[in-house]
Amino acid sequence: MIRRKWPVAGVCALLAALTAGLALPAGAAADESTGQDAPRVNLVLDVSGSMRAKDIDGQSRMAAAKQAFNEVLDATPEEVELGIRTLGADYAGDDRKEGCKDTAQLYPVGPLDRTEAKTAVATLVPTGWTPIGPALLKAADDLEGGDGSKRIVLISDGEDTCAPLDPCEVAREIAAKGIGLTIDTLGLVPNAKLSRQLSCIAEATGGTYTSVEHQDELTDRVNELVDRAAEPVVTPVATQGADSCAKAPTLTSGLYTDREEFGRQRWYRVEVLSGQELRASVSVAADRAVRPDHGVLLRAVTVHGREIVRGEAAGNGRTDMLSTGLRYPKPERDDDDSGKPAAEVVCLVVTNAFSADSGVQTTPGLPLELAVDVVDGPDGADDVASFGLGRGWWLLGALILTGFVAGLLWGRLSRWRFAVWRTN
Amino acid sequence: MRAVRVLSAALLSLGPAAAPAAADSPSPATSEDDGAPTRAGTSFRTATEVGQGRTATARASTGDYLYWSFPADAGQRPTVRATVKLPERHAAETWQIDVYDGLRRRQACQYGAQTRTAGTDAASVELECVLRTVRAWSEPWADDPLPGTYYVRLTALRLSTADLGQPVDAELRVDSKDMGGAAAVDGALSEPLVPGIASRPEAESDDDSPSAVLAGLEPEDGWTSGWWSDRWTWTAAGGALAALAGVGGYRLTRGSGRPPGVPPTA
């Protein structure tokens, strides 16, 4: 509404500012506005021998990947710090142990020099093994530090060949470090096994998995993932809930992450003043294979153990998370309880009913995200209707009938008065 | 539309200086058509905001969990529609939309096909969810829809491994019907159920970035204060009609002149 009333001059100024913002290196604008570190992306490319296969639009997988990387490097937003890591690029031998160590940082994570990065990519030749697990671990180390968003984009055409180290568990461990890292995976002409493995890696960190059969798909997808990293997101604060209210950490408004093992409780405390409303939402993510029936329960409990309100959710089937929430408006203080403290400690307890088949690792726990907002309390209702007002034809009929009957009676009364006292 | 005209007039008046600057913008993400988002988030935290009446599109892969969020105000009954264009070859897939409120509580759909299974020959799946009417206030123990942000999650519930990661195109549109005073209640929330509203940077001098908020989109006309409903009109009209009926009734019994039997000289 207001927007339409802006004088043209104002719109011009805004537009000029916008275009200036586009023309200038976006990094400057992003730095001052976010106050966060630059988003970092690490592209992890499989350079194993199988990349020689010529099945992407008639060219080899390697050629397609190189072309895609060139286009991605051109389109990378200025504010993104980009790095490239390879796996299986150097060791061509048969020794499995050596082959599984073969991962190298081709271009370090940092401000991007497009020409340099492109030259580095051009030198790649499909060579060795596919050590996905070790490469992911190293790639996560490359991104360590800073509080900007972090993303690993893994591009592979074959499943991991370094068996005891399950890349899926590696991904989960990386996510559990709490550095807010997402792994997105792309499978080049994948078979079912590779699809399963790469989507498992992606789901463990809340990322996405895409299967790629054409070169333009690869370019589009990687571009999109890099752009997505550049979008500012709220980074949650890591916290650690306790197993009882007394030991629980006290939280204020904000977004928090934690880990919760299967069937365990996590307690947190929040202080709520009289006349304030506590809003809490929690989501527990299923980052590994879980049984199809699951539930999450969030309860607000007083320090004495009385339940105030609860939120519950249950689900069935494939899911990335299960979430629920609650709100608790604390009533205004009456005069007679002025002896009580102004702030009430509300204990929040999260329990989950996720379960996994035997053989699925239970540690680290499932990722838990808790959002807490303490705002002013609501205006309570005196009546179901809005301000006691009514609506509808029945109301109109009743009012008209009442008015009419009142008019009749008044007329009769007035006649009677005239007849008795002969006066108006 | 008027805003667009004013903007284009402004663009013209800025002259050629601005045009090349806009043209060589490197990022394809900025070329958004009338502000409708062209991608979707992957979690509550990263959900893409889309206003009501706009069509959000996203290129995604089968197996992704796609998140959008939209604002809904008291008195509205939102309808969420999603269309998924499936790849040429695929096995039978079941798709579903779930709607969550600002507290991440799952909201029930009154009607609409929330879950649908696409056979092997289906080219697309259409899903719909008609929410309950958003109330201005409710008991904390009820999970009635309240004004604030709503999240939509679109995902494939059941799929075969062969379909994992296949490219799909998703489209989402939220429209709402104004239910008027029929759904009006007394009472109002002090703040809409917008996640992160208590830790907004303008409220506190937080070091959080001003551009990174969990949800920032408001309804086109802002959040209603909650005191207006068409019940005022109904009640006022009823009062006026009652007064008229009262005058009518009075005239009927009082008569227009002197009552019969009273001598004119009295």
Side-chain angles (χ1 to χ4, degrees):
Chain A
M1 287 291 108
I2 302 165
R3 211 179 305 141
R4 296 185 184 171
K5 288 175 190 157
W6 276 357
V8 176
V11 178
C12 288
L14 176 81
L15 201 73
L18 274 177
T19 41
L22 288 176
L24 284 174
D31 281 347
E32 65 181 13
S33 67
T34 59
Q36 263 184 356
D37 289 337
R40 292 164 152 202
V41 182
N42 209 352
L43 303 176
V44 180
L45 179 65
D46 180 354
V47 199
S48 62
S50 55
M51 290 290 281
R52 279 188 218 108
K54 291 200 171 181
D55 52 4
I56 295 189
D57 301 334
Q59 52 181 344
S60 76
R61 297 174 184 176
M62 195 65 231
K66 277 185 185 173
Q67 197 181 333
F69 267 54
N70 277 341
E71 286 170 41
V72 168
L73 289 170
D74 278 332
T76 302
E78 289 282 351
E79 69 267 32
V80 176
E81 296 192 350
L82 193 93
I84 302 169
R85 174 169 279 279
T86 57
L87 52 96
D90 301 317
Y91 180 72
D94 285 338
D95 185 6
R96 198 167 147 280
K97 218 172 167 188
E98 280 299 311
C100 286
K101 279 193 262 173
D102 183 9
T103 164
Q105 188 72 353
L106 183 70
Y107 186 81
V109 180
L112 185 64
D113 181 334
R114 291 168 211 272
T115 339
E116 226 172 274
K118 279 186 196 171
T119 323
V121 170
T123 60
L124 292 176
V125 182
T127 312
W129 296 66
T130 314
I132 293 181
L136 286 180
L137 275 177
K138 289 272 170 55
D141 290 342
D142 298 340
L143 294 174
E144 201 97 24
D147 62 350
S149 71
K150 301 184 189 77
R151 204 171 264 273
I152 292 176
V153 180
L154 170 68
I155 301 159
S156 179
D157 72 330
E159 65 264 28
D160 186 72
T161 49
C162 301
L165 189 64
D166 179 2
C168 217
E169 270 164 30
V170 169
R172 213 170 290 135
E173 271 162 34
I174 292 172
K177 280 188 200 163
I179 53 170
L181 191 146
T182 314
I183 304 178
D184 293 289
T185 54
L186 291 106
L188 300 178
V189 202
N191 57 22
K193 201 173 167 205
L194 177 64
S195 279
R196 240 192 322 261
Q197 186 169 70
L198 290 182
S199 78
C200 177
I201 294 173
E203 273 176 25
T205 60
T208 58
Y209 164 65
T210 310
S211 110
V212 172
E213 293 188 4
H214 300 285
Q215 199 250 316
D216 55 337
E217 284 173 10
L218 182 64
T219 314
D220 286 352
R221 189 65 182 174
V222 179
N223 258 334
E224 196 200 317
L225 292 170
V226 173
D227 281 345
R228 197 176 273 181
E231 276 175 19
V233 288
V234 180
T235 350
V237 180
T239 182
Q240 204 161 18
D243 54 2
S244 73
C245 187
K247 290 181 241 157
T250 304
L251 307 180
T252 53
S253 295
L255 189 68
Y256 302 91
T257 61
D258 198 357
R259 290 264 159 175
E260 185 179 49
E261 285 180 32
F262 292 98
R264 292 287 180 82
Q265 295 188 345
R266 281 297 206 189
W267 290 77
Y268 311 90
R269 293 156 74 103
V270 182
E271 284 181 0
V272 186
L273 293 172
S274 295
Q276 282 189 325
E277 179 178 282
L278 164 68
R279 293 171 181 174
S281 5
V282 68
S283 42
V284 178
D287 65 345
R288 64 203 77 177
V290 291
R291 292 211 188 111
D293 296 288
H294 31 248
V296 165
L297 174 66
L298 170 68
R299 299 193 303 145
V301 180
T302 65
V303 277
H304 306 297
R306 182 182 70 85
E307 178 178 307
I308 307 164
V309 58
R310 64 164 65 184
E312 42 198 345
N316 172 271
R318 184 174 171 271
T319 189
D320 58 338
M321 58 86 225
L322 209 53
S323 70
T324 186
L326 56 80
R327 59 191 194 94
Y328 164 50
K330 186 167 159 58
E332 289 286 351
R333 242 145 62 118
D334 291 336
D335 289 336
D336 50 320
D337 46 41
S338 52
K340 292 183 189 169
E344 180 190 354
V345 173
V346 177
C347 306
L348 291 172
V349 52
V350 183
T351 46
N352 73 67
F354 279 94
S355 58
D357 291 322
S358 59
V360 174
Q361 275 210 340
T362 56
T363 52
L366 301 168
L368 179 154
E369 194 172 283
L370 180 72
V372 176
D373 278 306
V374 181
V375 296
D376 288 339
D379 301 326
D382 303 322
D383 187 352
V384 183
S386 159
F387 300 97
L389 301 170
R391 76 186 287 281
W393 299 109
W394 281 97
L395 171 82
L396 243 54
L399 284 174
I400 292 169
L401 193 68
T402 320
F404 184 68
V405 170
L408 281 181
L409 287 177
W410 193 249
R412 192 139 277 262
L413 190 73
S414 137
R415 262 179 93 137
W416 173 78
R417 267 200 328 181
F418 190 78
V420 173
W421 289 297
R422 303 272 161 134
T423 169
N424 260 323
Chain B
M1 274 342 281
R2 218 175 103 194
V4 174
R5 253 179 283 142
V6 173
L7 263 176
S8 48
L11 187 66
L12 285 175
S13 66
L14 259 177
D24 62 26
S25 135
S27 167
T30 50
S31 63
E32 282 171 357
D33 181 32
D34 71 339
T38 53
R39 69 173 73 129
T42 53
S43 69
F44 282 119
R45 205 155 50 85
T46 56
T48 303
E49 293 190 286
V50 47
Q52 290 195 14
R54 296 194 162 203
T55 307
T57 50
R59 276 190 67 78
S61 314
T62 313
D64 283 1
Y65 297 90
L66 305 178
Y67 284 82
W68 289 274
S69 70
F70 67 92
D73 208 353
Q76 294 182 327
R77 194 193 66 185
T79 302
V80 180
R81 281 191 194 85
T83 313
V84 186
K85 287 196 193 76
L86 301 172
E88 269 174 36
R89 280 175 296 118
H90 63 88
E93 291 172 5
T94 306
W95 285 78
Q96 176 168 308
I97 42 174
D98 291 290
V99 183
Y100 299 85
D101 71 0
L103 286 179
R104 302 187 184 182
R105 298 181 294 193
R106 189 173 171 279
Q107 286 293 327
C109 299
Q110 294 190 75
Y111 8 84
Q114 192 183 357
T115 313
R116 226 174 222 172
T117 303
T120 44
D121 50 349
S124 68
V125 201
E126 277 176 37
L127 304 163
E128 188 185 44
C129 173
V130 180
L131 290 170
R132 291 177 288 170
T133 306
V134 177
R135 312 266 154 171
W137 179 89
S138 88
E139 297 275 0
W141 298 273
D143 71 344
D144 290 334
L146 290 165
T149 305
Y150 284 78
Y151 291 101
V152 184
R153 184 185 77 166
L154 171 67
T155 190
L157 266 198
R158 275 183 286 279
L159 72 167
S160 65
T161 318
D163 286 340
L164 267 177
Q166 295 294 322
V168 290
D169 280 306
E171 217 177 86
L172 179 99
R173 189 181 172 86
V174 182
D175 292 294
S176 60
K177 188 178 170 192
D178 195 0
M179 298 307 274
V185 291
D186 201 351
L189 300 177
S190 67
E191 305 277 1
L193 275 190
V194 175
I197 199 160
S199 40
R200 286 271 174 85
E202 57 263 29
E204 288 169 46
S205 58
D206 213 333
D207 63 339
D208 222 352
S209 75
S211 45
V213 286
L214 284 173
L217 209 59
E218 292 192 359
E220 270 181 21
D221 308 330
W223 300 104
T224 57
S225 53
W227 68 268
W228 171 253
S229 76
D230 66 3
R231 286 174 187 251
W232 289 100
T233 331
W234 278 97
T235 312
L241 287 174
L244 280 178
V247 171
Y250 178 82
R251 283 183 69 106
L252 216 61
T253 42
R254 177 66 174 78
S256 51
R258 286 161 178 275
V262 177
T265 50

